[in-house]
Structure formats: structure tokens, C-alpha cells
Amino acid sequence: MSALAAVLRRELRLAWRSPGDSLNVLLFFVLTVVLFPFGVGPAAEILERIAVGVIWVMALLACLLSLDRLFRDEYEDGGLDLLILSPAPLELLVLGKILAHWLTTALPLIVVSPLLGLLLQMPPHAFPVLALSLLLGTPTLSLIGAIGAGLTLGARRGGVLIALLILPLYIPILVFGVAAVDAAAQGLSAQPHLLLLGGLLALFLPIAPVATAAALRQALH
Amino acid sequence: MQRFANPGRFLRLARAVYPWTAGLAVLCLAAGLWFAFVASPPDYQMGETVRIMYVHVPAAWMALFVYTNLAVAAAVLLVWKHPLAELAGRAMAPVGACFTALCLITGSLWGQPMWGTFWVWDARLTSVLVLFFLYLGYIALSNAFDDPTRGGKAAAILALVGVVNVPIIKFSVDWWNTLHQPASLTRLDAPAIHASMLVPLLLMAFGFTFYFVAVTLIRIRTEILARRLRALQFSQGASEVAAASPRQVSA
């Protein structure tokens, strides 16, 4: 556990010292969402209809964009070898890195998401459910994404490849995340969708660190 | 299973089995196509277009069957480090992707006369499309590294993660589809299938399976020979370099 805390502390300190990386992802998220009214026109009813989907898809792409760097720098400078050689289980260290990734990239997106909902004419009573669905869904995005980041280490054209591997696996999270907010916007209960999102998180919480650790081991074999 | 870790032994076995599987594939497909096109009746509702089913449905079965095989090969590779499992996975994936593509193409050709459109976001269609993307991801990852064994292992991990995901994706797509039910779509759920249609369907399914086995055997054999060739070229290149270097030093 102290190893997990140490990795987490180190990652957060690194992110704090170069905040540009997290900020860029946040800016990407905001800018791409703001592009949509230019694409489909400013009519309120159209924007209201597509708001949830747009915010969720863009959050997913922003998460994907930031994954490339999750292990790459340490793979190239040799830091990853030290993590593998350390006596602490690699799965735990990987979990620490995933948690740090979520805290530094997904959490800012969740914080600004109600603001974007406002811009896209979402009914305000759906904002809490939007934030909650992102809060339950984005950790799973980071967990699955870490598997892809580990598998593509050292690959040619790794950045494009990771999208091909990960996006099909993201579909269930997108489906339940959007369904939760849609239900709330129509005045129905969002609970079943949120429970399913939580179930996915509970499923991938143990699977992803194990698969990512296996991927890292074979990458540095 | 460990007996066949020896590529020479596998090659001998493959050479013995291949003519049988290839022959059976040709026989089943020929008989199946004859039944499908000539000896089976047109459907009372769908007319002649029902004949697309004899390619479409076996292709859909194969798409799932090959992915299951891929996952088994991946597990064997990761657990026992079986060298042939890596080659088998690499050999099977494009065949499975082709069956999935065949299923999608024949499905949309069937959808045009039946539903009036080439594509609907039906739950089954959408899940097969996602399966196709999973195949493409596997193929892309297994070819993305300079060292082919590295790619094989990474792709094996991906295949196992994919297997956990396939039922979840299927469920989520069903869920999504019931939430966004398209206007009206006549479902083609026939309660039972008549023997005159079942015979060609099963013949085609067996034909596809034997074809898959035969093609996979050829692809594994080719891969083994290609790796031997590369190893020979490497050792030849190395000896040439070794022979050339003293002269370079003296020059």
C-alpha cells in the first residue's frame, strides 16, 4: 500500500510541475465540444438532443488522447524497468499510475462538464447525473486505456494503434453513461444505468492492472 | 499438445491432415451451394433472397467460432508459452476477419431488399461490426512490432481482454438498441426451419469450418517456413559480415 501511495505521490508531483499536459487535454475537450454548435447550427433543440452524446464522446476521446503518454516517457528513459524490478507487485504500481492518470486528466473534465452542458442547452436538472455518470465511467476508461497503452509500447505508430484497440472496448461505457443522463433528462430514474457503470468499474478494477502489468512485462522482456 | 511444439512434427501432421480438410471443404461447399441454389425452395415471405442466408448465417457462426479459437490460442500462448499458439493466432485472425466482413456484406445485401436499406443500427448488426473492429485491432497489434513474437504476445493479451468484453459489448448494444428503438423493423424470427433449408445451411457451415481449418494450416505452415527463411538469411548475413570485416580493417 505504501508503494501505491508512493507512485501516486510521484505521479501527482510530476503532473503538478508540468500542468500543461493536463491543461492541454482539458482544452481539447472544451474546444472540440464547442465546435459542435458550429457543425450542426445553434438551434437549441438540436443541441439539447445531442448534448450528452457529444460531451461523453469528447470526454472519451480526450481520455484516449492522454493515454499515449501514460507509460511512454518511462519506457524510453528506463524508469519502467525500475518499476518492474521493484519488490512491490507491479499490478499495484500500475494501479497507482492509472489512478494518477484519472486524477490529472479525467477529473478536470468532470469539473467543467456542467459548464459545457450549459453551453449545449442541457436541462440543468441533468447536470448532477452527468457529473456522476462521468465520475463512475471515466475510471473505467482509464483502466481499459492503460491496457492499450501497455500493449502498444514500442509499437510502430503506437498513437493511432491505441485508438483501434481501445475504442471498441469503450462502447459499453459510452452506452450506459449516455443512457443515464438521457434518462435523467427525461425525468426517469438513472439508477439502473449508473449501477451498470459501477459494475463495469468493479469488473475492470481487478482485470486491468493484471492485464497491464502482463503487457508491461512482455514489453520489457 | 506439447508434442506439437516441435515445428517439424507439426509440419508432418499438417501435411497429412491438409488434403482431407481441403477435400472435405470442397465437397461440402459444392454440395451446399447446389442445395442452396437449386434444390431448396424459395421462402414464402422472402422469396429467392432467402438464399443469401446460406452464406450469411454460416459466416456469422464462423465469425464467433474463429474468435473463440483465437482466444483459446491466446490462453495457450500466455500460459504454456507454446510457440505454435502464437503462429496459430496470427494465422487465424485474418480468416476470422474475412468471415466477419462476409457476414456484414451479405447481411447488408440481404437488408436492402428486405428492410429497404443497406444498414440499420440493429443490435445484432452493431455487435458484429464491433467484433470486426476487434479482429482488426488484433491484426494491427500483432503486426505492429519489429519482433513478431512480441506482437504475438501483445495481441494474445488483447484477445483475452476482448473475450471478457465481447459479452459486455453484446449486452450493452442490446440495451442501447432497446432504448433507441428504430421506427419499425420486421424481425425475421422464424420459429423453426424446414429440413429442405436446414440441409444446405449445415452443409455450408461444415464447408466453412473445413475451409477455415485448411486455410489456417496453410498459413501456419507458411509462417513457419518464412521464419526459417528469415533465420537462414540472418545467419548468412552475419557470416558475410564476419567474412567481410577483416578486409575492411586491413583496408
Side-chain angles (χ1 to χ4, degrees), chain A residues 118-163:
Chain A
L118 204 70
L119 285 177
L120 294 184
Q121 316 286 345
M122 244 174 82
H125 63 89
F127 290 169
V129 179
L130 176 67
L132 198 59
S133 73
L134 285 168
L135 209 56
L136 279 169
T138 46
T140 322
L141 297 183
S142 294
L143 285 164
I144 297 177
I147 305 175
L151 286 175
T152 51
L153 276 184
R156 297 186 295 262
R157 302 178 300 277
V160 188
L161 189 59
I162 195 169

Side-chain angles (χ1 to χ4, degrees), chain A residues 2-218:
Chain A
S2 67
L4 180 90
V7 169
L8 193 60
R9 221 172 15 246
R10 170 171 173 279
E11 294 290 324
L12 290 180
R13 195 175 295 150
L14 277 174
W16 182 251
R17 288 187 184 162
S18 57
D21 293 345
S22 304
L23 270 177
N24 282 346
V25 175
L26 186 64
L27 269 178
F28 171 85
F29 177 57
V30 173
L31 273 175
T32 47
V33 169
V34 167
L35 278 183
F36 271 82
F38 294 103
V40 300
E45 63 272 24
I46 298 176
L47 289 179
E48 188 190 342
R49 179 71 199 82
I50 63 168
V52 191
V54 166
I55 291 176
W56 252 100
V57 170
M58 289 309 148
L60 197 146
L61 291 182
C63 178
L64 185 76
L65 191 74
S66 62
L67 281 171
D68 196 32
R69 278 189 4 261
L70 185 55
F71 300 116
R72 174 132 309 161
D73 292 346
E74 295 196 310
Y75 175 69
E76 278 162 5
D77 69 15
L80 217 49
D81 294 276
L82 296 178
L83 282 187
I84 289 183
L85 289 175
S86 96
L90 184 58
E91 287 78 5
L92 202 66
L93 304 178
V94 165
L95 188 64
K97 281 186 80 76
I98 297 172
L99 195 59
H101 172 262
W102 181 75
L103 286 172
T104 53
T105 58
L107 206 55
L109 306 188
I110 299 172
V111 173
V112 301
S113 66
L115 190 70
L116 294 173
L118 204 70
L119 285 177
L120 294 184
Q121 316 286 345
M122 244 174 82
H125 63 89
F127 290 169
V129 179
L130 176 67
L132 198 59
S133 73
L134 285 168
L135 209 56
L136 279 169
T138 46
T140 322
L141 297 183
S142 294
L143 285 164
I144 297 177
I147 305 175
L151 286 175
T152 51
L153 276 184
R156 297 186 295 262
R157 302 178 300 277
V160 188
L161 189 59
I162 195 169
L164 187 57
L165 305 186
I166 291 305
L167 287 181
L169 306 181
Y170 275 176
I171 291 172
I173 304 155
L174 180 64
V175 167
F176 297 128
V178 172
V181 189
D182 268 345
Q186 290 165 15
L188 302 169
S189 166
Q191 199 188 8
H193 313 283
L194 292 175
L195 286 176
L196 281 164
L197 276 180
L200 283 177
L201 177 58
L203 177 71
F204 279 100
L205 200 56
I207 290 179
V210 172
T212 311
L216 293 182
R217 282 201 191 94
Q218 61 92 23

Side-chain angles (χ1 to χ4, degrees), chain B residues 189-202:
Chain B
D189 288 329
I193 184 165
H194 191 258
S196 62
M197 290 183 174
L198 190 63
V199 168
L201 192 61
L202 288 181

Side-chain angles (χ1 to χ4, degrees), chain B residues 55-185:
Chain B
V55 177
H56 176 72
V57 172
W61 286 343
M62 290 308 291
L64 284 173
F65 176 70
V66 176
Y67 200 83
T68 316
N69 279 304
L70 204 64
V72 172
V76 169
L77 171 64
L78 292 178
V79 174
W80 289 289
K81 299 197 188 327
H82 198 291
L84 271 179
E86 190 232 320
L87 299 180
R90 191 181 289 276
M92 284 187 286
V95 188
C98 285
F99 278 123
T100 318
L102 185 67
C103 172
L104 286 169
I105 292 168
T106 53
S108 78
L109 289 180
W110 198 5
Q112 170 57 23
M114 286 298 102
W115 298 336
T117 168
F118 283 110
W119 184 262
V120 286
W121 287 98
D122 171 66
R124 266 186 290 183
L125 274 71
T126 314
S127 357
V128 173
L129 185 67
V130 176
L131 183 66
F132 183 58
F133 289 136
L134 289 180
Y135 271 118
L136 292 189
Y138 181 96
I139 295 169
L141 186 61
S142 64
N143 292 321
F145 298 92
D146 294 327
D147 173 14
T149 51
R150 167 84 220 275
K153 258 190 210 157
I157 297 175
L158 181 72
L160 288 186
V161 174
V163 157
V164 176
N165 256 283
V166 163
I168 302 175
I169 292 175
K170 176 83 182 96
F171 172 70
S172 72
V173 167
D174 283 344
W175 180 280
W176 163 76
N177 197 250
T178 46
L179 281 178
H180 304 261
Q181 185 61 44
S184 76
L185 186 113

